Amino acid sequence: MGKRLAAEFIGTLWLVLGGCGSAVLAAAFPELGIGFAGVSLAFGLTVLTMAFAIGHVSGCHLNPAVSVGLWAGGRFPAGDLLPYIVAQVLGGIAGAGILYIIASGHAGFDLSGGFASNGYGDHSPGGYSLTAALVCEVVMTFAFLFVIMGATHGQAPKGFAPIAIGLCLTLIHLISIPVTNTSVNPARSTAPAIFVGGWALAQLWLFWVAPLVGGALGGFVYRWISDDRPVPVAVTGEN
């Protein structure tokens, strides 16, 4: 368990540092900014790369909503949920801490820019309402778990799960960055919110509730429609 939790800590650190880091450091860089498309790809690549690196160790959840969704889908034991979630949140905070050290080295850095925090209403990139943000996060996380369950199914092509999962997360960001800055991951949302404080912490509840509900629904529905109940497999497809 210790090694599995360490893997989740490191993997979630990488997700926050790579994904949020691309948003904070590179999205609007003068003349060469990567924009929404680049940030979307960065988040997908963090999951894809870590899935190959630690999928065989911990399953590469990197996300409390994924852990809860896999539990709802019959792929993960309830007794492991709390340790995994704690490791993921701590890893995300560590990643945000490293990002803060790097970003604050620039003379124009200011946390009031949001530090890649998730939000709705006045703090949504596109000014979307609480209801829109809630629906978006539930549906996107549902889709994410649905793809994860299918890609790691015992009858899925072996070894391709990280690609499907990483591209799915990229697509989710392409759709929903304008709405909420895209969470689908309570650990990812908590990490920058701790540094920003204020509004980011006040709105954080939505980015726990919606992804957990969407993840649980995605895992449950896939389990319901699947013809069989495969033994849990690593995200890399290896037994």
Side-chain angles (χ1 to χ4, degrees):
M1 175 61 81
K3 291 180 179 179
R4 292 162 61 198
L5 297 180
E8 287 295 303
F9 178 93
I10 294 168
T12 314
L13 183 159
W14 181 235
L15 183 147
V16 170
L17 181 58
C20 294
S22 70
V24 172
L25 303 175
F29 192 80
E31 299 181 11
L32 298 175
I34 62 175
F36 283 176
V39 174
S40 300
L41 183 59
F43 270 101
L45 288 174
T46 63
V47 171
L48 189 155
T49 52
M50 273 298 160
F52 279 118
I54 64 170
H56 61 288
V57 178
S58 67
C60 192
H61 298 186
L62 317 185
N63 182 341
V66 170
S67 297
V68 168
L70 291 174
W71 163 77
R75 304 277 189 89
F76 192 67
D80 289 352
L81 278 175
L82 183 58
Y84 261 58
I85 291 172
V86 170
Q88 291 156 2
V89 171
L90 292 178
I93 294 171
I98 295 170
L99 177 58
Y100 178 82
I101 293 170
I102 296 170
S104 61
H106 186 274
F109 175 70
D110 187 353
L111 282 172
S112 65
F115 200 49
S117 293
N118 300 113
Y120 54 85
D122 291 340
H123 302 289
S124 157
Y128 287 84
S129 68
L130 186 157
T131 300
L134 180 66
V135 171
C136 183
E137 288 291 326
V138 169
V139 172
M140 294 299 150
T141 316
F142 173 94
F144 193 36
L145 263 295
F146 199 83
V147 170
I148 289 171
M149 291 286 290
T152 58
H153 190 283
Q155 295 180 1
K158 303 297 182 182
F160 290 96
I163 299 173
I165 295 168
L167 289 177
C168 180
L169 189 60
T170 299
L171 176 58
I172 286 169
H173 279 76
L174 287 171
I175 296 168
S176 60
I177 285 179
V179 183
T180 62
N181 225 13
T182 309
S183 171
V184 303
N185 183 340
R188 171 262 184 269
S189 297
T190 300
I194 286 176
F195 288 84
V196 174
W199 68 265
L201 288 176
Q203 295 191 355
L204 183 60
W205 67 270
L206 185 144
F207 302 105
W208 274 87
V209 173
L212 291 178
V213 170
L217 288 173
F220 177 79
V221 170
Y222 192 90
R223 184 180 187 180
W224 176 65
I225 69 167
S226 180
D227 290 335
D228 62 346
R229 303 291 181 266
V231 174
V233 296
V235 73
T236 56
E238 299 173 2
N239 292 318

